[in-house]
Amino acid sequence: MEFIETLKKHGCYPIRASKIETLQVNVGYRCNMTCKHCHVQAGPSRAEMMGLNTIKAVIDILAGSDIRLLDITGGAPEFNPYLRFLIEEARTIGCHIMVRSNLTIYSEDGMEDMPLFYRDHGIELVASLPYYQGEVVDRVRGEHAFEKSIRALRTLNNLGFGVDPGGLKLNLVHNPQGMFFPPCQAKMEDEYRRELDRRYGVSFNNLFTLINMPIGRFRKFLVERNQLDRYMERLSKSFNPAAVEGIMCRYLINVGWDGTLYDCDFNQMIGLSLNDKYPGTVRKFDTGILAEREIAVDDHCFGCTAGQGSSCQGAAA
Amino acid sequence: MGEYYSDNDLERFGEVGKHCPDLFKKFMDWYGASLQEGVLSKREKVLIGLAVAHAIQCPYCIDAYTKSCLEEGMNLDHITEAVHVASAIRGGASLVHAIQAHNAVDKISM
C-alpha cells in the first residue's frame, strides 16, 4: 500500500490516535440530495439508519467517558427519527453538539422547525455550501440546491446562527467542484464572507475547505473520466508530513449506523473497520484502549495529508 | 496527423531536459520562482498565466492555468473576464496597427 510506504519513509508509521476528543456518529445514509461529490453516496433511496438501541449505546458512551464533543453526520441526520432524542440526551450529559447539515433539508415537509430545535439546543451547525455562486453549486448538488441553501442560511441568521463570534456557530464547508484541490482556507473564507454578504446578505462564522476524497461518487466520477490514477498520483505527490499531526482520525472515533466503530467517516464508507485488535462496536467501546489505537489506513488517506491537509474541520496543516 | 496535442504530453515536459539539461534547469528554476507569491499574489499570477495562455493559445497552458484558477477559488466569471482582457489587448494590438497602415498610405500618396 503506497500510503503506508510513504508514512514509513517519513517516519510517521503507524499513525496513532492521540486522544478521543470527538465522537462522530453517522446516523444514517438517507438524504434528500444526491450530490456528485458525496463520499457517503447518500440519497433518498438509502435505507441504512441508526436504530434506537444503537443511539442509546452512543449516549451510554458519552455518559461513561470524558468525550464531550458529539459530531452528528449522515446522509441528512434530520431523517433519523431519534435525532432529537440523541441531541436532548447528549445535552443533558453536557456535550457540545455539532450537526453536519446540507441546509436544503429544511425545505422538506416536516423539517421546517429543525433550525428552531437546533437553536433551542445550542447546536453548532456545519453546513455544506461548495461555493458562493448558484450555478456552480447546482451543478454539483442539483437544481435549486443553492436557492434553498440561501433561504436556509437567512433563516439561521435570523435565529442567531453565524451572526456574532460568541453566538450560535454556523460554519460552512467548501469543496472543489471537480478533480482539483481546494484553495487556501483563510483566503477562501474571506472571499465567501465578502461575496455571501454582498450578494445575499448572509453571514457565517468559519469556512472549512475540504479536498474531494477519492471514494464514493467522486471516485466513480474519476473512473468514468479515466482520471483516477492521475488524481491519486497528484494526492500522493502532495503528501505533507506536517498534515499527519493534525488529521482528524487522531482525535475522533467514528460510529456507523449499525454501531460499528471506524477511524473516520471515509473508512466507514469503504468498509475499513478498526484494526482487529481493538473493540469494534459501540457495545464494546473502551476509551482507554481506543484512545491510543493504531489508525487503519489505505491509499485514500492521501486525501487528508495532501498540501494544507484536509479534515472534517477543514485544512489540517 | 491525428491528435497533435495530447493531455499526457504536458506530463512529459521534463523529457525536454534530456537535451541541454543546464538550460532546462535554468528555465524550470526561473519558471518556478516567477510564480512564487511576491508583490503580486498567487491568484494574480495565475490569472496573468491564464490570460497569456489564451493570448498565445497554448492548449497545455490553458488547461494548467484554468485548473490553477479553480484552485485559487476562482470561477468561470473570473476566467472569462481574464480571457476578455487578453483578447481585447490582442485585438487592440492589431487595431492600433491601422495607424501604420495610415502612415503607409500617407508615405506613398500625393
Side-chain angles (χ1 to χ4, degrees), chain A residues 179-180 227 230, chain B residues 5-8 10 49-50 53-54 57-71 79:
Chain A
M179 50 182 121
F180 48 92
Q227 295 291 325
R230 186 171 286 187
Chain B
Y5 295 108
S6 156
D7 278 351
N8 299 324
L10 182 57
L50 180 86
H54 282 79
Q57 293 177 311
C58 167
Y60 303 122
C61 307
I62 291 171
D63 274 11
Y65 280 92
T66 298
K67 184 189 260 189
S68 297
C69 285
L70 294 174
E71 293 189 338
I79 288 168

Side-chain angles (χ1 to χ4, degrees), chain A residues 131 133 181 183 191 230 234, chain B residues 8 11 43 71 73 75 77:
Chain A
Y131 204 62
Q133 205 183 42
F181 286 4
E191 191 163 334
R230 186 171 286 187
R234 185 151 182 236
Chain B
N8 299 324
E11 288 161 17
R43 174 179 273 214
E71 293 189 338
N75 57 51
D77 290 341

